[in-house]
Amino acid sequence: MEIRPATNQPGMFYLIWNDSGVEGGPRFTKIETVDGKPSQDAILMNGMQHVETLHIQADAVTSFFNAAIDAGVPVHAELITKEGVAA
């Protein structure tokens, strides 16, 4: 899996799933985790809209987030509303 910036959409990124041959997929602008630090659960966001939730194998967490940093993807803490539900 690779993370690449979208060439025609500055600030947008997408995943390339090498094992499935799929390129592209949903575009996203940032990754959110519970505390803003690398985690097995990562939420791909497009602005404030939830795009996809990833559950990353424990041995792949560091390499996934290193790839995100290398690609320039912002990683933020998940926003929680007053009711305690993710925004």
Side-chain angles (χ1 to χ4, degrees):
M1 193 252 350
E2 294 178 51
I3 301 173
R4 289 200 185 156
T7 55
N8 296 329
Q9 297 172 306
M12 299 288 281
F13 302 90
Y14 64 97
L15 300 177
I16 298 176
W17 302 98
N18 295 329
D19 55 347
S20 68
V22 175
E23 289 199 19
R27 302 294 203 261
F28 60 96
T29 57
K30 64 183 176 180
I31 297 171
E32 289 188 355
T33 63
V34 172
D35 59 3
K37 297 177 183 172
S39 171
Q40 282 188 273
D41 295 313
I43 302 168
L44 305 183
M45 302 289 294
N46 184 350
M48 294 299 291
Q49 182 180 7
H50 177 273
V51 175
E52 188 170 344
T53 301
L54 302 178
H55 182 74
I56 305 164
Q57 293 178 350
D59 62 347
V61 169
T62 300
S63 61
F64 175 81
F65 282 93
N66 285 344
I69 290 166
D70 290 346
V73 179
V75 178
H76 298 281
E78 184 177 14
L79 296 177
I80 306 294
T81 65
K82 287 182 182 178
E83 292 80 28
V85 177

